[in-house]
Amino acid sequence: MAYGSIDLALGDLTAVGLVEELDGGRERRVILRTSHRLAPAVIHLLQAEADFFTAFRAELRSALRGGEGSGLLSAALVGAAARRQEVVGDRIDLLIIGLDRNGTGHLRARVDERADSIRAAFGVEVNVLAYDVGTARAMWRTRTDAAERDVRDAELLAGTPPHEVLDV
């Protein structure tokens, strides 16, 4: 994923003194040392990095907007992306849990319709994991430790947190 490359670059830029890391927050925050001779060359990179997560998630939320009418119960990023551990080339896993199969299919189609524009704008592929609630709960009863971790670490985009939908 593009963010992974930027994150690695920021580590190197910190090491050479071009940027300084700031404490706090879930996202990596840095400040540019404007006195460094390379500062003008990285200003655009830093602006893009600062907006990446917000813009990407806003695009996914936009695709899901109005999904409650299709029975959307939960939509969340899961896996490495939710933990901010994705690397270049990773697909982003989007878990969608809908009330029934028809509505869930409609929700998947809404995200799939935006797949090309998301890939073009953000350089990532979204892997939609869409289940109706009955199927999701049946799978949850025989979950692996990795699946439980993914659902517990999920980053909610719309609806109810997936663990609350599944833990009944």
Side-chain angles (χ1 to χ4, degrees), residues 10-20 31-36:
L10 284 173
D12 289 342
L13 295 173
T14 301
V16 298
L18 180 61
V19 298
E20 177 182 347
I31 188 168
L32 179 66
R33 290 189 174 144
T34 56
S35 60
H36 197 283

Side-chain angles (χ1 to χ4, degrees), residues 54-130:
T54 303
F56 177 67
R57 281 144 179 82
E59 184 68 22
L60 291 176
R61 283 186 183 98
S62 175
L64 295 163
R65 191 167 292 120
E68 293 80 8
S70 296
L72 176 67
L73 298 177
S74 182
L77 294 177
V78 295
R83 292 186 300 275
R84 306 279 168 97
Q85 296 173 338
E86 70 276 16
V87 296
V88 174
D90 278 357
R91 294 186 314 174
I92 303 300
D93 292 331
L94 172 63
L95 174 64
I96 296 174
I97 302 173
L99 192 57
D100 58 41
R101 286 184 186 192
N102 288 337
T104 302
H106 178 70
L107 293 163
R108 174 191 284 277
R110 290 174 69 141
V111 175
D112 287 345
E113 287 172 2
R114 301 245 184 122
D116 289 339
S117 64
I118 289 171
R119 188 173 24 261
F122 298 97
V124 298
E125 183 177 337
V126 177
N127 181 38
V128 180
L129 308 166

Side-chain angles (χ1 to χ4, degrees), residues 25-46:
R26 182 174 173 178
E27 295 180 10
R28 188 173 196 175
R29 297 178 54 219
V30 297
I31 188 168
L32 179 66
R33 290 189 174 144
T34 56
S35 60
H36 197 283
R37 69 179 185 83
L38 296 176
V42 297
I43 287 174
H44 293 294
L45 173 68
L46 293 175

Side-chain angles (χ1 to χ4, degrees), residues 136-150:
R137 286 178 177 158
M139 293 169 61
W140 188 242
R141 285 191 289 274
T142 60
R143 66 189 172 270
T144 64
D145 290 341
E148 183 161 356
R149 184 184 71 238
D150 282 349

